[in-house]
Amino acid sequence: MNGVLLAVCWLLSEVVSAQPPGKEDLRFDSLPVAWDEGIPLGNGMLGSLLWAKDGKLRLSLDRADLWDMRPMKGLHRKEFNYQWIHGQVLKKDYGVVQQYFDSPYNDDPAPSKIPGAALEFDIAGWGAVRSVRLELADAVCQVEWVNGMRLRTFVQATRPVGWFRFENIDPALVPELIAPKYEGVVDPSARGNVAGDDLILLGYKQGLVKGEPGAPGHGESGSLVYNQEGWGGFSYQVSVCWKKTGLHTVEGVWSISSRFPGGKIPGVRVSEGVKEERKADPSDEARSTTAAALRRGYEADYRLHAGWWVTFWSRSAISVPDPVIEKQWWLEQYKFGSAARRGAPPISLQAVWTADNGRLPPWKGDFHHDLNTQLSYWPCYSGNHLEEGLSYLDHLDANKPNYKRYTKLFFRSPGMAVPGVTTLDGTEMGGWVQYSLSPTVVAWLGQHYYLQWRYSMDRVFLRDRAYPWIREAAVFLESMTRERDSLGHRKLPMSSSPEINDNSLSAWFPQNTNYDLALLKFTFRTAGELAGELGLPEQAAHWKRVLSEFGELALTGEDQLMFAPGMAYNQSHRHFSNMMAIHPLGLIRWEDGDKARSIITHSIALLDSVGPGAWCGYSYSWLANLKARAKDGEGAAKALDIFARAFCSPNSFHLNGDQTKSGYSGFTYRPFTLEGNFAFAAGLQEMLLQSYAGFIEIAPAVPASWQDLSFKSLRAEGAFLVSAVKVNGRFSEVRIVSEKGGATRLKIPFAGGYRVVSRKGMVVKDEGDGFLKLRAAAGGEMVVKSE
């Protein structure tokens, strides 16, 4: 009941913060011994992992923009265009396409994300570790030894530095700065996109680590600097400096700076309010950054850091009676706050926690836009972290000129397309071309612009960013669908469904797949809606006319969504591409009546019956969202539980394969990627609050056994913030705040009567059909309690 009582406090007192309870902290009685089990710290630009290697305490250091940006070898040949590939498909001469455009991604190590460095501390003779704890509330990792020695370390939330402080140590500790191994003998086992290629294959000249034991500061102190040249004029610098601040205390600070030709960090849009220090760094920036930080001191930086996290945690909170699911949600929120930040690159496959094993990260640590980046930002909307979510859209907007170059080069079409697999600046990397060069990638990305608009109701964003993106996508997709099928409906020249039939010729379909068709329909429907919202009737009418020229989604006779006409859902697969119309796009909604409910129910049942043989962890996270849309709380909770128990490392990282080998997937490997983590958070939020159907529904999909639950400030479409408390199986209180003003409807959650106990700037009307109609001024709010 403690969680419920806390929730009541949230509703009754404005001064109580929604901080994560201490029980949700990560706790271990020994140091992790693998990089992908390390304690994660980060601020969107910098990240670290704390673990032990060969008897030493290790901090793996990373920066989000450390990239080898060389062009993919052999990709940009004269045949690099959609029409040529289509011709090869029609001729059934497809091997050459795979050779030209699929193989380079597998055969060449770069372009790729690259690691930073590591700090090591010799702890031999320190004895046993008593505890390792990641304190979520202030994002600090604390390690205590039985002999009383202690380490506290954090990555500062608002500045590009990481801190460590050792207490009660004797003798004084001196860190060692470890550079990645870029020269030497290649490990023959280190090949492939899953395991990661050996760093030596990049061909870099090994950078040097230099020490300056006499500076900066005063007393016993020192510093180390590592400079590394990358490809094409790119370089980065890692700096660490430290000093003794007490008889048995050492404080130190580290930083990484990057330097790109031309000075600007690719793919990063520096927005209003972002500190200047997040812009491109000169060659010696890391060293000057650490020196300045050491002069400020640990405590000064900690106060700013802790304050940022207090604000972050105040945005939303959840309490549910399932301890596994609740803890995982808090950990996902923590990782999101550590990995998403405006002024930094968006969340890539591993974000700021690149592999520290002498290899490139799984799948090159790149930006996969056929699922991975999209799922990573699902939770920011209802989770009330729109500001962090804008880091994604800032990146996409910054790369628009490059996307238009790609559109003209590859598709030879107007408008704008986006590659499905990209570097930091949005340049295409190849790979299985059905997905890495799919024409509908731009449409799925467009949904995030739409969601940002719907959840914020920011009309400037709508006018300047959301509609321009959707309009460019619509212009492009209208051009790409000039062909007509036998019924006269618009179609793509060839279509695909990630990643059905892998990269074979049979992965191309002559008719629109349900994946592509759902995205096409979403784009033109949304273009019409947004044009109308902006008072552009001619454009709205045009997009609605184009929308009317597409056919219907392919269904079996049992109302099951197919992959494509002629191919039912007949194989287990990690990517639920045929289900896009249900979630995330919401083209088929439970609220639309019996036919829609039949499609949703039977499609999910088929998914379950075919089974999870080829699923990954993120499949279960997505399944939870799907089942929540089907109002199946038991099924959604089961999917989340399996994800948390079977597919995560002890530090909560998503490892893709079934780590328990319990039959939840045929994959039992462990490549780390983040999208499954964040889709998990979105799944629980979807169980607790839905607003996609034009009204607010509280707890639409929770198990019957969840008698006590609460949440604070989950965000609904229309920019409404919703808080609720359920005690002993009955909702006792609901609070709704309107940020921007406007109207919505609330499905009444109370089993019996209710009363409006307070209302400010909001008109409430009971419509007599189980709904309250709300009309609010900006800042309006109400509290409703059960009788």
Side-chain angles (χ1 to χ4, degrees):
M1 289 291 293
N2 289 341
V4 174
L5 293 175
L6 176 62
V8 173
C9 290
W10 291 338
L11 295 180
L12 298 181
S13 174
E14 288 293 327
V15 299
V16 175
S17 297
Q19 299 298 298
K23 66 178 181 176
E24 313 300 357
D25 292 349
L26 273 180
R27 299 170 187 259
F28 304 102
D29 57 12
S30 62
L31 290 166
V33 293
W35 74 269
D36 56 6
E37 297 180 4
I39 305 300
L41 303 164
N43 67 6
M45 183 64 88
L46 298 184
S48 69
L49 295 165
L50 182 144
W51 55 297
K53 180 180 181 182
D54 299 331
K56 295 183 178 181
L57 187 144
R58 188 174 177 99
L59 280 173
S60 305
L61 311 182
D62 193 19
R63 182 177 162 112
D65 63 355
L66 300 185
W67 262 83
D68 185 311
M69 299 277 284
R70 73 187 72 184
M72 185 63 74
K73 185 178 179 181
L75 186 67
H76 297 100
R77 56 181 71 238
K78 63 182 177 63
E79 294 88 357
F80 184 72
N81 68 77
Y82 184 85
Q83 292 76 17
W84 182 83
I85 294 174
H86 185 216
Q88 296 302 118
V89 170
L90 294 176
K91 292 190 295 184
K92 294 182 168 48
D93 181 13
Y94 200 66
V96 66
V97 177
Q98 296 167 324
Q99 175 188 344
Y100 285 173
F101 305 128
D102 297 358
S103 295
Y105 186 89
N106 298 321
D107 295 343
D108 296 305
S112 177
K113 177 73 175 68
I114 57 176
L119 291 176
E120 284 193 346
F121 303 87
D122 188 351
I123 56 174
W126 286 27
V129 167
R130 174 184 287 123
S131 66
V132 180
R133 179 177 179 178
L134 173 61
E135 301 164 354
L136 298 188
D138 61 357
V140 172
C141 179
Q142 178 168 286
V143 183
E144 293 187 344
W145 282 261
V146 172
N147 64 9
M149 295 182 182
R150 182 169 69 171
L151 162 68
R152 287 178 62 80
T153 181
F154 62 94
V155 173
Q156 215 275 356
T158 64
R159 289 172 167 152
V161 296
W163 279 94
F164 56 87
R165 180 162 73 182
F166 288 91
E167 300 171 351
N168 306 322
I169 62 170
D170 189 24
L173 193 66
V174 176
E176 184 180 1
L177 182 54
I178 309 297
K181 186 180 178 182
Y182 287 120
E183 289 185 357
V185 178
V186 174
D187 179 355
S189 68
R191 290 306 306 265
N193 293 320
V194 177
D197 287 330
D198 195 313
L199 292 173
I200 296 169
L201 293 172
L202 294 173
Y204 296 170
K205 180 180 179 181
Q206 185 68 53
L208 299 177
V209 176
K210 296 182 179 181
E212 298 179 3
H218 55 85
E220 296 183 31
S221 62
S223 67
L224 295 167
V225 176
Y226 161 53
N227 289 289
Q228 180 62 57
E229 295 289 332
W231 180 87
F234 170 75
S235 63
Y236 67 93
Q237 181 182 86
V238 184
S239 174
V240 58
C241 58
W242 65 95
K243 66 180 179 181
K244 193 172 181 179
T245 58
L247 186 59
H248 300 291
T249 302
V250 171
E251 293 179 357
V253 61
W254 62 269
S255 185
I256 306 175
S257 59
S258 61
R259 188 182 189 190
F260 288 87
K264 183 181 178 182
I265 300 172
V268 172
R269 170 176 169 165
V270 179
S271 304
E272 183 179 353
V274 175
K275 291 181 180 294
E276 180 73 17
E277 61 193 358
R278 289 193 179 276
K279 295 183 180 180
D281 302 303
S283 59
D284 211 30
E285 180 65 19
R287 179 158 45 189
S288 61
T289 296
T290 54
L294 202 62
R295 289 192 294 270
R296 287 193 306 270
Y298 176 99
E299 291 295 341
D301 268 14
Y302 170 75
R303 286 192 295 271
L304 286 174
H305 166 79
W308 187 93
W309 279 99
V310 166
T311 300
F312 177 84
W313 290 121
S314 72
R315 299 298 184 197
S316 61
I318 283 174
S319 176
V320 297
D322 186 310
V324 172
I325 291 175
E326 180 182 277
K327 186 180 187 73
Q328 190 75 29
W329 183 84
W330 284 103
L331 290 169
E332 305 312 358
Q333 296 298 104
Y334 166 77
K335 291 197 294 294
F336 191 79
S338 300
R341 204 65 53 87
R342 297 190 78 180
I347 298 169
S348 60
L349 292 177
Q350 294 86 26
V352 290
W353 301 300
T354 299
D356 182 15
N357 59 357
R359 300 180 178 190
L360 294 171
W363 295 287
K364 306 182 190 297
D366 60 31
F367 299 96
H368 264 53
H369 296 314
D370 71 340
L371 174 150
N372 307 82
T373 64
Q374 289 93 332
L375 270 62
S376 290
Y377 285 89
W378 277 356
C380 75
Y381 304 107
S382 63
N384 196 23
H385 291 295
L386 297 185
E387 178 71 11
E388 287 75 25
L390 281 168
S391 64
Y392 188 32
L393 307 185
D394 290 347
H395 168 81
L396 296 175
D397 280 346
N399 288 338
K400 271 179 146 183
N402 203 13
Y403 299 149
K404 291 183 178 181
R405 171 206 56 81
Y406 157 75
T407 307
K408 180 180 289 188
L409 173 67
F410 182 71
F411 290 104
R412 301 176 182 177
S413 293
M416 186 176 69
V418 176
V421 181
T422 82
T423 65
L424 183 62
D425 71 354
T427 298
E428 57 276 9
M429 294 174 62
W432 295 357
V433 297
Q434 291 90 341
Y435 326 111
S436 69
L437 303 175
S438 165
T440 54
V441 170
V442 68
W444 195 352
L445 296 174
Q447 191 200 17
H448 283 267
Y449 284 85
Y450 179 73
L451 293 174
Q452 180 74 216
W453 149 244
R454 287 296 303 150
Y455 281 85
S456 71
M457 300 307 290
D458 182 338
R459 295 195 66 82
V460 174
F461 176 84
L462 167 66
R463 182 195 67 205
D464 295 348
R465 300 183 67 182
Y467 183 58
W469 182 281
I470 295 291
R471 183 184 62 234
E472 292 274 15
V475 168
F476 167 69
L477 293 171
E478 181 182 12
S479 173
M480 291 295 295
T481 54
R482 292 192 183 100
E483 289 190 23
R484 304 283 175 145
D485 64 19
S486 60
L487 298 176
H489 297 134
R490 284 180 173 268
K491 64 179 289 291
L492 292 164
M494 53 184 178
S495 187
S496 64
S497 187
E499 295 166 336
I500 305 308
N501 296 336
D502 295 338
N503 66 329
S504 67
L505 175 63
S506 63
W508 289 113
F509 295 84
Q511 301 297 321
N512 291 330
T513 63
N514 275 347
Y515 171 81
D516 279 339
L517 183 56
L519 287 166
L520 290 163
K521 284 174 168 283
F522 170 82
T523 298
F524 292 108
R525 185 194 72 175
T526 303
E529 176 186 331
L530 299 190
E533 185 71 31
L534 289 170
L536 303 170
E538 292 183 2
Q539 292 185 39
H542 175 77
W543 300 130
K544 291 175 182 178
R545 179 184 60 76
V546 176
L547 173 63
S548 72
E549 295 171 352
F550 289 94
E552 298 301 317
L553 295 162
L555 297 172
T556 67
E558 289 74 40
D559 280 346
Q560 299 156 334
L561 285 166
M562 305 170 75
F563 286 125
M567 185 178 181
Y569 183 85
N570 59 4
Q571 57 186 273
S572 178
H573 200 280
R574 58 193 174 273
H575 195 311
F576 301 152
S577 52
N578 65 311
M579 308 284 274
M580 290 283 290
I582 300 173
H583 183 277
L585 299 180
L587 301 179
I588 302 173
R589 306 182 304 181
W590 189 262
E591 294 77 7
D592 289 339
D594 291 343
K595 181 66 173 179
R597 294 183 181 189
S598 177
I599 294 170
I600 293 169
T601 300
H602 289 98
S603 297
I604 294 176
L606 179 61
L607 197 71
D608 283 335
S609 68
V610 172
W615 292 7
C616 288
Y618 66 68
S619 308
Y620 285 92
S621 297
W622 193 348
L623 181 64
N625 285 270
L626 284 163
K627 293 204 170 187
R629 288 287 174 97
K631 317 303 179 184
D632 178 6
E634 303 289 344
K638 180 180 178 181
L640 294 182
D641 181 75
I642 290 172
F643 173 86
R645 292 181 185 273
F647 290 88
C648 292
S649 176
N651 70 352
S652 80
F653 280 175
H654 166 232
L655 298 181
N656 276 272
D658 177 6
Q659 304 305 296
T660 66
K661 298 179 173 59
S662 300
Y664 295 124
S665 172
F667 296 113
T668 57
Y669 58 0
R670 53 179 297 139
F672 154 51
T673 58
L674 282 163
E675 70 295 310
N677 291 116
F678 300 131
F680 174 100
L684 179 55
Q685 292 161 203
E686 194 78 25
M687 294 168 66
L688 296 174
L689 185 73
Q690 294 178 7
S691 57
Y692 63 87
F695 61 88
I696 296 170
E697 185 172 9
I698 294 172
V702 299
S705 60
W706 288 16
Q707 294 290 291
D708 301 313
L709 62 83
S710 60
F711 58 85
K712 174 186 181 291
S713 297
L714 292 186
R715 181 175 285 266
E717 292 193 23
F720 292 92
L721 299 178
V722 184
S723 304
V725 180
K726 180 182 181 183
V727 181
N728 296 327
R730 294 169 59 92
F731 277 96
S732 60
E733 187 169 348
V734 172
R735 180 186 185 208
I736 297 179
V737 177
S738 174
E739 273 192 349
K740 297 293 178 67
T744 190
R745 299 169 73 223
L746 170 67
K747 186 174 182 179
I748 299 172
F750 304 109
Y754 69 89
R755 56 194 174 92
V756 178
V757 297
S758 67
R759 183 174 67 232
K760 177 183 177 182
M762 187 176 293
V763 176
V764 182
K765 179 182 180 182
D766 192 327
E767 296 190 307
D769 57 356
F771 287 84
L772 296 179
K773 185 174 183 180
L774 313 178
R775 183 171 295 279
E781 62 179 89
M782 74 163 188
V783 177
V784 185
K785 289 188 176 183
S786 61
E787 290 284 3

